Amino acid sequence: MTGGMRIAIDGPAAAGKSTIAKLVAKKLGYTYIDTGAMYRAITFKVLQHAADPRSEEEIMQLISQTDIELQPGEQVQKVLLDGADVTDAIRSHEVTANVSAIAAMTAVRKLLVAKQRQLAAKSSVVMDGRDIGTSVLPEAELKIFMTASVEERAERRLLEEQQRGMSSDYETLKREISERDKADSERKISPLKKAEDAIIIDTTGKTIEEVTNSIIEYAEKRLAQ
Ligand code: C5P
């Protein structure tokens, strides 16, 4: 294989997907696409407009006119919703608590999956999410399924949120992560699931550098084929 490729990174909440995906993209010179940020942006809009989160029709109407833009940055990828910067706002506990229900809706997934495929058609990408290897890019040249123990995931998320100045506690985060994984795994359309041909990487006890390097190695092997 010559040129670029598509790398799909899926896995449960807070497994380190976005941190690693961003670094892998940077090293390879690929575009990083955080699909979770897109579902979060839609959820933010639904909450902002006080739309009924159970009414698919109301939500469809609201999101049909939505523009979501992901802008690459040194530290964080900026998320613009209808032109407004919502990068921090989409990480709130309120958005996190509601995102799985919104992401389970057919209309929402149709809209965002189409957008994700458009983005991947333009350049080589590292895309992270829940259904990238199984549904968005089933032909991706490299698929990774990243996991870690729920305890370590809660610890990492706690540190991340504390650094962002959010008030969080370990037990609440652990519960929130487990509930979100359950909802994401049990939903009807494109649930969180390992693609048959995905490589499992358990990041428990591993450093960011170790995981990044092992994905780069897999990518280089694939590119050499
Ligand atoms: O990746 P992140 O934790 O920010 O994703 C937030 C939520 O968005 C997930 O819990 C899931 O409900 C939804 N999501 C999804 N499919 C994706 C990415 C995220 O359903 N590809």
Side-chain angles (χ1 to χ4, degrees):
M1 233 186 90
T2 51
M5 66 193 294
R6 293 159 295 180
I7 303 178
I9 303 183
D10 291 301
K17 300 184 298 292
S18 64
T19 306
I20 305 283
K22 213 177 297 162
L23 288 169
V24 170
K26 196 173 172 196
K27 282 204 180 175
L28 295 173
Y30 292 3
T31 304
Y32 163 57
I33 300 165
D34 176 357
T35 63
M38 296 169 129
Y39 289 96
R40 285 175 178 273
I42 293 286
T43 305
F44 178 78
K45 186 160 179 172
V46 169
L47 294 170
Q48 200 183 29
H49 287 77
D52 180 356
R54 288 156 308 179
S55 163
E56 190 143 357
E57 208 184 307
E58 203 175 316
I59 287 173
M60 200 45 217
Q61 250 182 11
L62 183 69
I63 66 173
S64 58
Q65 297 300 321
T66 299
D67 180 51
I68 300 172
E69 206 187 315
L70 303 177
Q71 282 184 351
E74 250 317 295
Q75 291 302 321
V76 285
Q77 173 180 258
K78 242 193 200 178
V79 184
L80 301 182
L81 174 70
D82 300 325
D85 187 344
V86 294
T87 313
D88 290 329
I90 60 167
R91 306 283 159 197
S92 72
H93 286 292
E94 200 193 1
V95 169
T96 304
N98 287 282
V99 66
S100 291
I102 304 290
M105 293 180 171
T106 312
V108 173
R109 300 206 75 81
K110 257 197 189 157
L111 184 93
L112 293 187
V113 168
K115 187 160 174 69
Q116 290 154 13
R117 287 187 182 140
Q118 264 172 23
L119 291 171
K122 280 195 217 150
S123 60
S124 289
V125 293
V126 182
M127 194 178 274
D128 82 356
R130 304 294 187 286
D131 61 337
I132 312 305
T134 54
S135 163
V136 181
L137 304 174
E139 311 295 329
E141 287 78 10
L142 178 61
K143 297 180 187 176
I144 305 289
F145 194 81
M146 202 179 279
T147 62
S149 71
V150 70
E151 288 77 18
E152 186 153 328
R153 289 189 282 136
E155 272 164 30
R156 288 184 197 156
R157 189 45 56 95
L158 181 66
L159 211 70
E160 199 181 298
E161 294 199 350
Q162 282 171 343
Q163 279 165 358
R164 229 186 281 131
M166 290 169 74
S167 68
S168 322
D169 77 277
Y170 173 78
E171 286 305 328
T172 309
L173 285 175
K174 197 172 144 191
R175 196 182 57 241
E176 187 186 275
I177 286 171
S178 304
E179 282 170 4
R180 201 143 56 92
D181 288 348
K182 186 169 169 1
D184 291 341
S185 310
E186 291 179 355
R187 70 169 174 237
K188 285 207 188 79
I189 347 154
S190 36
L192 162 66
K193 200 174 144 223
K194 182 186 109 51
E196 266 178 32
D197 50 348
I199 298 161
I200 298 181
I201 299 184
D202 185 342
T203 69
T204 313
K206 293 204 178 100
T207 65
I208 292 171
E209 201 184 1
E210 278 171 335
V211 181
T212 306
N213 288 343
S214 77
I215 297 179
I216 298 281
E217 268 175 41
Y218 285 122
E220 282 169 350
K221 263 191 217 150
R222 195 73 181 87
L223 285 166
Q225 276 173 6

